[in-house]
mmCIF file of all heavy atoms in Angstrom:
data_model
loop_
_atom_site.group_PDB
_atom_site.id
_atom_site.type_symbol
_atom_site.label_atom_id
_atom_site.label_comp_id
_atom_site.label_asym_id
_atom_site.label_seq_id
_atom_site.Cartn_x
_atom_site.Cartn_y
_atom_site.Cartn_z
ATOM 1 N N GLU A 58 3.874 3.193 3.159
ATOM 2 C CA GLU A 58 2.888 2.573 2.271
ATOM 3 C C GLU A 58 2.837 3.382 0.983
ATOM 4 O O GLU A 58 2.784 4.612 0.997
ATOM 5 C CB GLU A 58 1.484 2.528 2.900
ATOM 6 C CG GLU A 58 0.485 1.914 1.908
ATOM 7 C CD GLU A 58 -0.922 1.693 2.477
ATOM 8 O OE1 GLU A 58 -1.172 1.974 3.653
ATOM 9 O OE2 GLU A 58 -1.765 1.213 1.676
ATOM 10 N N ASN A 117 0.187 -2.028 -2.101
ATOM 11 C CA ASN A 117 -1.150 -2.636 -2.203
ATOM 12 C C ASN A 117 -1.234 -3.531 -3.431
ATOM 13 O O ASN A 117 -0.852 -3.127 -4.534
ATOM 14 C CB ASN A 117 -2.216 -1.541 -2.312
ATOM 15 C CG ASN A 117 -2.356 -0.759 -1.030
ATOM 16 O OD1 ASN A 117 -2.854 -1.270 -0.035
ATOM 17 N ND2 ASN A 117 -1.873 0.476 -1.036
ATOM 18 N N GLU A 149 0.384 -5.751 0.663
ATOM 19 C CA GLU A 149 -0.892 -5.580 1.374
ATOM 20 C C GLU A 149 -2.018 -6.176 0.543
ATOM 21 O O GLU A 149 -2.263 -5.747 -0.580
ATOM 22 C CB GLU A 149 -1.170 -4.094 1.643
ATOM 23 C CG GLU A 149 -0.088 -3.428 2.478
ATOM 24 C CD GLU A 149 -0.507 -2.066 3.044
ATOM 25 O OE1 GLU A 149 -1.680 -1.671 2.879
ATOM 26 O OE2 GLU A 149 0.368 -1.412 3.651
ATOM 27 N N ASP A 179 -4.711 -6.088 4.882
ATOM 28 C CA ASP A 179 -5.140 -4.698 4.858
ATOM 29 C C ASP A 179 -6.590 -4.605 5.334
ATOM 30 O O ASP A 179 -7.365 -5.539 5.141
ATOM 31 C CB ASP A 179 -5.038 -4.192 3.414
ATOM 32 C CG ASP A 179 -4.916 -2.688 3.320
ATOM 33 O OD1 ASP A 179 -4.919 -2.015 4.364
ATOM 34 O OD2 ASP A 179 -4.812 -2.189 2.183
ATOM 35 N N ASP A 180 -6.944 -3.488 5.936
ATOM 36 C CA ASP A 180 -8.330 -3.235 6.373
ATOM 37 C C ASP A 180 -8.831 -4.387 7.246
ATOM 38 O O ASP A 180 -9.997 -4.791 7.140
ATOM 39 C CB ASP A 180 -9.271 -3.073 5.170
ATOM 40 C CG ASP A 180 -8.804 -2.025 4.182
ATOM 41 O OD1 ASP A 180 -7.997 -1.161 4.571
ATOM 42 O OD2 ASP A 180 -9.251 -2.066 3.023
ATOM 43 N N LYS A 200 -3.203 -4.966 9.514
ATOM 44 C CA LYS A 200 -3.433 -3.523 9.523
ATOM 45 C C LYS A 200 -4.871 -3.291 9.970
ATOM 46 O O LYS A 200 -5.813 -3.628 9.246
ATOM 47 C CB LYS A 200 -3.179 -2.931 8.140
ATOM 48 C CG LYS A 200 -1.716 -3.116 7.685
ATOM 49 C CD LYS A 200 -1.394 -2.299 6.458
ATOM 50 C CE LYS A 200 -1.176 -0.835 6.804
ATOM 51 N NZ LYS A 200 -0.727 -0.059 5.619
ATOM 52 N N ILE A 201 -5.024 -2.734 11.166
ATOM 53 C CA ILE A 201 -6.375 -2.493 11.710
ATOM 54 C C ILE A 201 -7.003 -1.325 10.954
ATOM 55 O O ILE A 201 -6.431 -0.229 10.892
ATOM 56 C CB ILE A 201 -6.346 -2.174 13.218
ATOM 57 C CG1 ILE A 201 -5.699 -3.329 13.999
ATOM 58 C CG2 ILE A 201 -7.767 -1.899 13.727
ATOM 59 C CD1 ILE A 201 -5.729 -3.139 15.507
ATOM 60 N N ASP A 202 -8.148 -1.567 10.383
ATOM 61 C CA ASP A 202 -8.799 -0.558 9.561
ATOM 62 C C ASP A 202 -9.116 0.710 10.351
ATOM 63 O O ASP A 202 -9.446 0.658 11.537
ATOM 64 C CB ASP A 202 -10.084 -1.122 8.951
ATOM 65 C CG ASP A 202 -10.609 -0.233 7.838
ATOM 66 O OD1 ASP A 202 -9.987 -0.227 6.763
ATOM 67 O OD2 ASP A 202 -11.607 0.478 8.064
ATOM 68 N N ARG A 203 -9.049 1.811 9.652
ATOM 69 C CA ARG A 203 -9.347 3.132 10.204
ATOM 70 C C ARG A 203 -10.722 3.199 10.864
ATOM 71 O O ARG A 203 -10.929 3.952 11.808
ATOM 72 C CB ARG A 203 -9.274 4.140 9.048
ATOM 73 C CG ARG A 203 -9.498 5.568 9.396
ATOM 74 C CD ARG A 203 -8.967 6.445 8.267
ATOM 75 N NE ARG A 203 -9.722 6.313 7.034
ATOM 76 C CZ ARG A 203 -10.821 7.029 6.751
ATOM 77 N NH1 ARG A 203 -11.264 7.924 7.599
ATOM 78 N NH2 ARG A 203 -11.456 6.861 5.612
ATOM 79 N N GLU A 236 -4.235 1.878 11.423
ATOM 80 C CA GLU A 236 -4.394 2.785 10.279
ATOM 81 C C GLU A 236 -5.231 4.007 10.653
ATOM 82 O O GLU A 236 -6.100 3.926 11.520
ATOM 83 C CB GLU A 236 -5.147 2.075 9.149
ATOM 84 C CG GLU A 236 -4.433 0.921 8.513
ATOM 85 C CD GLU A 236 -5.111 0.556 7.182
ATOM 86 O OE1 GLU A 236 -6.135 -0.142 7.216
ATOM 87 O OE2 GLU A 236 -4.612 0.997 6.141
HETATM 88 CA CA1 CA B 303 -6.002 -0.044 4.759
#
Side-chain angles (χ1 to χ4, degrees):
E58 178 174 359
N117 291 290
E149 301 194 6
D179 203 0
D180 306 340
K200 298 192 78 174
I201 301 184
D202 194 73
R203 182 162 67 87
E236 294 195 279

